[in-house]
Amino acid sequence: ITGYGKTFRTILEMFKGVELKNIDKDFKSKIFEVFFKRDSQKGGMGQYFTPLKVVQQIVNMADIRPGMRICDPACGVGKFVLEAVSRDINKYYQIKNGEIIKNIIIEGYDKGFTKDSERTIILAKANMMIYFSDLIKDNPTLTPKFSALFNETFHLRTSVLGTLDYIPTENQKYDLILSNPPYVGATDVFNKEIKGKASLKKYYNKNGTGLEALFIEWIVRSLANDGQAFIIVPEGFLYRNQDVELRNFVIDECIIDGVITFPVNTFFSTNKKTYI
């Protein structure tokens, strides 16, 4: 086994001698949280993986129901979209006549060109396997179809802009977006790419600061008319003079239900103040 298939194998080997039957989903998720807490490289790219308890409380606030399209445009290992369906997987994914019937659509995107980026998406799919372990156990002949479902759910975007290069059509817009986008101050390479494409230049026109500003524009524009979003943002977004136009855009386009502050050091790798 070569390349980042080894990562997947390493995870499987952790479970040698352990039965995954009737195991609480919080424990399954905690495995991944510990795995990533060990990884010290992620902070450099503004990626701070969201603690499971934070994800769960945000998901608790969302009204999740069958028929929805749910997305995380900066999904990491996929906790937001997986937690959104975890409490009632058997309602959202039913097995009929040897087929997996999806009563909900979840999608996660992450960006990158390196093997490390590929590793994150592989881990998201492995995470999904753990969340779906009871369904998989009960339907051992459907392994290829579960594999296809995992590949349909999590996507690696290898362009310079990653998810930001993908503009959903009206039919593809999302009912719910849950995300903790990366916080990167230097965005010259992204802005240059946007200016080189007329469609993107029109799409991203609020001149916000940092990569999170572009993600906020993407999220607002990618929501269905009655859609809802929960976004984790840094303190600067709420106060920076350079982001006035972007904040006005959010106020004009959205009804803001609330702003919730996190305690300092909520995230493993940073003491930056953050908000939902």
Side-chain angles (χ1 to χ4, degrees), residues 160-189:
V160 171
L161 290 168
T163 309
L164 301 172
D165 213 2
Y166 164 58
I167 300 176
T169 65
E170 283 301 318
N171 292 334
Q172 295 169 326
K173 289 191 174 184
Y174 297 101
D175 302 295
L176 177 64
I177 297 177
L178 306 156
S179 194
N180 178 14
Y183 311 153
V184 178
T187 56
D188 291 350
V189 64

Side-chain angles (χ1 to χ4, degrees), residues 6 12 36 45 47 81 89 91 101-102 107 114 116 119 134 140 185 194 202 218 223:
K6 288 181 181 177
L12 294 179
F36 268 93
M45 284 301 293
Q47 291 177 283
V81 293
I89 282 179
K91 179 169 74 174
I101 308 299
K102 294 187 293 184
E107 291 180 333
T114 66
D116 201 48
R119 171 176 175 267
D134 289 335
I194 287 168
K202 184 178 178 182
W218 187 92
L223 280 173

Side-chain angles (χ1 to χ4, degrees), residues 1-192:
I1 299 173
T2 60
Y4 273 79
K6 288 181 181 177
T7 302
F8 188 71
R9 178 174 178 155
T10 300
I11 294 166
L12 294 179
E13 286 176 343
M14 290 178 183
F15 295 100
K16 274 187 175 176
V18 177
E19 286 196 19
L20 278 178
K21 296 177 183 175
N22 304 317
I23 290 178
D24 187 89
K25 69 179 178 62
D26 288 357
F27 171 75
K28 297 174 186 178
S29 304
K30 193 71 179 175
I31 292 165
F32 271 74
E33 186 163 294
V34 171
F35 191 92
F36 268 93
K37 196 170 183 179
R38 291 196 217 133
D39 188 343
S40 61
Q41 297 177 1
K42 286 294 170 187
M45 284 301 293
Q47 291 177 283
Y48 301 108
F49 288 96
T50 314
L52 179 61
K53 287 182 179 179
V54 172
V55 172
Q56 289 173 333
Q57 293 307 318
I58 291 175
V59 168
N60 283 345
M61 292 188 280
D63 178 20
I64 297 165
R65 57 195 181 278
M68 295 183 84
R69 290 175 60 87
I70 302 174
C71 177
D72 182 353
C75 68
V77 296
K79 283 189 285 192
F80 271 119
V81 293
L82 293 173
E83 281 293 323
V85 298
S86 67
R87 286 166 202 179
D88 218 337
I89 282 179
N90 291 306
K91 179 169 74 174
Y92 298 130
Y93 297 90
Q94 296 175 337
I95 309 300
K96 292 183 180 176
N97 301 319
E99 298 292 333
I100 302 171
I101 308 299
K102 294 187 293 184
N103 297 320
I104 201 166
I105 294 173
I106 58 173
E107 291 180 333
Y109 298 95
D110 219 313
K111 166 192 181 298
F113 310 97
T114 66
K115 282 288 183 183
D116 201 48
S117 307
E118 181 186 339
R119 171 176 175 267
T120 303
I121 284 295
I122 288 171
L123 285 168
K125 294 174 185 179
N127 202 7
M128 190 170 183
M129 182 196 73
I130 291 172
Y131 273 80
F132 279 63
S133 58
D134 289 335
L135 262 183
I136 295 169
K137 174 180 65 70
D138 293 338
N139 299 278
T141 63
L142 298 186
T143 301
K145 291 182 180 178
F146 279 110
S147 177
L149 175 65
F150 301 164
N151 288 329
E152 290 166 11
T153 300
F154 292 110
H155 310 272
L156 182 68
R157 311 287 299 187
T158 55
S159 68
V160 171
L161 290 168
T163 309
L164 301 172
D165 213 2
Y166 164 58
I167 300 176
T169 65
E170 283 301 318
N171 292 334
Q172 295 169 326
K173 289 191 174 184
Y174 297 101
D175 302 295
L176 177 64
I177 297 177
L178 306 156
S179 194
N180 178 14
Y183 311 153
V184 178
T187 56
D188 291 350
V189 64
F190 304 111
N191 290 331
K192 197 174 291 184

